Amino acid sequence: MRGRLDSIDWAILKELQADGSITNVELARRVGLSAPPCLRRVRALESAGIIKAYRAILDPKNLGFEIVCFAMVQLDIQGKKELREFEQRVKDWSMVRECWTLSGDIDFIMKCVAPNLASFRGLVSELTSLPNVRNVRTALTLDLIKDDPLVPIEDVAEVEG
């Protein structure tokens, strides 16, 4: 689908990625369309799976989640069954907000939030007690330096242009 996106599609994606709550009328104004064709394009991008969802970005500290950390997990066995079992367990932990599989020495990296250090220690204790977990390394975050959306649309526009 990427090859079929034109400059207006990319502009729509850039605007929505920056502010998913923008009205269709404002979005249309910003990308130089009238509202009906803009909405048709957004719906097409949604149908194609390019726009996966819309979310509000919440401030964890203002909601009582003082700890943001990363946990890097190495498993003993990386068979399909063992990976599925671990992945399912991770999906059950509400404090785990993102989990990625990795190549190399670390099998998974998880972004976690916790209201306090005690609850974070509880998560780490549960994690290290799982039967197939060989090693867990954690890192508490200090300051957020950059928090851009996942897709660098400005770079894509340069490549496409």
Side-chain angles (χ1 to χ4, degrees):
M1 177 77 182
R2 178 178 168 171
R4 292 184 287 172
L5 299 178
D6 65 16
S7 61
I8 293 174
D9 292 325
W10 285 111
I12 289 170
L13 293 172
K14 183 176 182 180
E15 293 295 333
L16 287 175
Q17 188 171 245
D19 181 4
S21 69
I22 190 173
T23 67
N24 183 59
V25 171
E26 178 60 17
L27 177 62
R29 186 191 68 72
R30 289 185 189 179
V31 301
L33 290 177
S34 62
C38 182
L39 185 59
R40 280 194 295 276
R41 283 178 179 251
V42 170
R43 296 292 184 248
L45 293 166
E46 291 169 347
S47 294
I50 292 171
I51 297 175
K52 291 174 40 174
Y54 298 90
R55 294 181 179 169
I57 300 172
L58 308 178
D59 185 314
K61 288 190 190 306
N62 282 337
L63 294 169
F65 292 90
E66 295 293 324
I67 305 293
V68 177
C69 63
F70 289 90
M72 291 138 290
V73 179
Q74 186 179 36
L75 301 180
D76 279 325
I77 302 168
Q78 292 88 13
K80 284 184 182 180
K81 176 182 175 278
E82 291 80 12
L83 290 172
R84 270 196 316 273
E85 287 172 355
F86 183 80
E87 289 167 5
Q88 188 53 54
R89 185 65 184 109
V90 166
K91 290 176 184 178
D92 293 338
W93 279 317
S94 63
M95 283 190 275
V96 176
R97 305 313 301 166
E98 290 183 32
C99 181
W100 295 79
T101 57
L102 302 176
S103 62
D105 294 340
I106 303 298
D107 296 310
F108 296 91
I109 188 167
M110 300 181 294
K111 182 179 182 181
C112 308
V113 297
N116 53 47
L117 206 48
S119 60
F120 170 64
R121 279 195 304 261
L123 174 66
V124 172
S125 178
E126 281 186 67
L127 187 56
T128 57
S129 68
L130 292 177
N132 192 32
V133 171
R134 174 187 298 169
N135 185 20
V136 176
R137 293 193 332 238
T138 61
L140 293 173
T141 63
L142 300 176
D143 289 311
L144 179 63
I145 305 302
K146 185 175 181 178
D147 187 22
D148 283 350
L150 188 58
V151 178
I153 290 180
E154 54 279 354
D155 293 347
V156 173
E158 288 174 14
V159 171
E160 298 288 321

